Amino acid sequence: MSTKVLIIIGVALLVIALLSGIKTNSGKRLLSIKLGVILGAIGILLMIYASYSSNLVNYNRQIEQVSIGNKLSIEGPVKSTQVISPIDKDSVDCRILTMGVYPEANKNDIWVLIRPTDDRYYPQSDHTNTSYKRDGEWQVVTRFGGDLGEAYDLIVYEADAQASQFFSATIEKWKKNEDYPGLQLAELPAGAKEVDRIKIYTRKNCRGVF
């Protein structure tokens, strides 16, 4: 039975239940209170079920916890875009907040791509698609789906508008198809310039988490 039909039935049952509170001119109720309560409860349950089984409610069945790795100390003026957390050779959780710094004169978008042992590249994003930038600092949620101790290259790119659009469109396509095949090196856009790279490892079994 479709979601719309369930909602319509639920609303109808609620309307019928309200009739239990209406009395006729003779003083009799159109519907017994007991039956009205039962029908009203069924109607509410149907609408709740229909909502949570559809896109009407964004119900997160798995709560993801964001962790923060070790952080590199930066002194003096920032001369280049780089990652400061996690640090090189760090072991990380399945979902982390990757953070970095950039020269404030830099107007390019910043993207983090991870390269696991399958030798493919996976652009990382949250709701903004690009890394969040402000006052010389940037950050982006980064997810890992490999085995315990799997090695990853975490690579930072500065991207022009066309390259940034390519990464965004790629992510949207993967989400729509529910398939994340990764990118080959030759597929990376020319407008994306690598500016930093570190090696990290998963300290948990993250396979199948996301």
Side-chain angles (χ1 to χ4, degrees), residues 82-114:
Q82 64 182 108
V83 58
I84 61 173
S85 181
I87 62 176
D88 192 35
K89 305 298 190 299
D90 209 354
S91 293
V92 300
D93 290 331
C94 302
R95 187 178 193 261
I96 67 170
L97 188 64
T98 299
M99 298 181 290
V101 293
Y102 67 94
E104 293 198 40
N106 177 14
K107 302 303 180 183
N108 289 328
D109 288 334
I110 296 173
W111 284 85
V112 168
L113 277 69
I114 60 173

Side-chain angles (χ1 to χ4, degrees), residues 8-175:
I8 291 173
I9 293 175
V11 172
L13 290 175
L14 279 178
V15 172
I16 294 173
L18 292 175
L19 295 178
S20 64
I22 300 176
K23 292 182 179 180
T24 63
N25 293 333
S26 62
K28 293 183 178 181
R29 296 184 182 276
L30 296 176
L31 192 69
S32 70
I33 294 179
K34 183 178 180 180
L35 181 58
V37 171
I38 293 173
L39 292 178
I42 294 174
I44 292 172
L45 290 174
L46 281 176
M47 289 191 293
I48 292 174
Y49 172 77
S51 297
Y52 278 94
S53 62
S54 70
N55 291 326
L56 295 177
V57 175
N58 184 17
Y59 182 63
N60 186 9
R61 303 179 188 275
Q62 178 180 341
I63 300 176
E64 294 180 328
Q65 298 295 326
V66 178
S67 68
I68 297 175
N70 294 316
K71 193 171 183 179
L72 187 67
S73 178
I74 299 294
E75 297 181 359
V78 176
K79 297 181 179 181
S80 62
T81 301
Q82 64 182 108
V83 58
I84 61 173
S85 181
I87 62 176
D88 192 35
K89 305 298 190 299
D90 209 354
S91 293
V92 300
D93 290 331
C94 302
R95 187 178 193 261
I96 67 170
L97 188 64
T98 299
M99 298 181 290
V101 293
Y102 67 94
E104 293 198 40
N106 177 14
K107 302 303 180 183
N108 289 328
D109 288 334
I110 296 173
W111 284 85
V112 168
L113 277 69
I114 60 173
R115 185 175 73 97
T117 52
D118 65 0
D119 202 28
R120 289 181 173 266
Y121 295 76
Y122 298 84
Q124 301 297 297
S125 73
D126 46 28
H127 64 281
T128 62
N129 264 352
T130 62
S131 296
Y132 173 78
K133 291 173 59 181
R134 185 171 183 177
D135 298 332
E137 298 182 350
W138 59 266
Q139 62 183 39
V140 65
V141 175
T142 309
R143 299 173 179 86
F144 306 91
D147 298 319
L148 171 66
E150 184 168 343
Y152 287 81
D153 285 333
L154 190 152
I155 313 165
V156 182
Y157 287 86
E158 290 181 0
D160 61 20
Q162 288 184 332
S164 191
Q165 177 56 36
F166 171 81
F167 287 136
S168 295
T170 297
I171 290 174
E172 290 302 319
K173 178 182 177 181
W174 290 353
K175 287 181 178 179

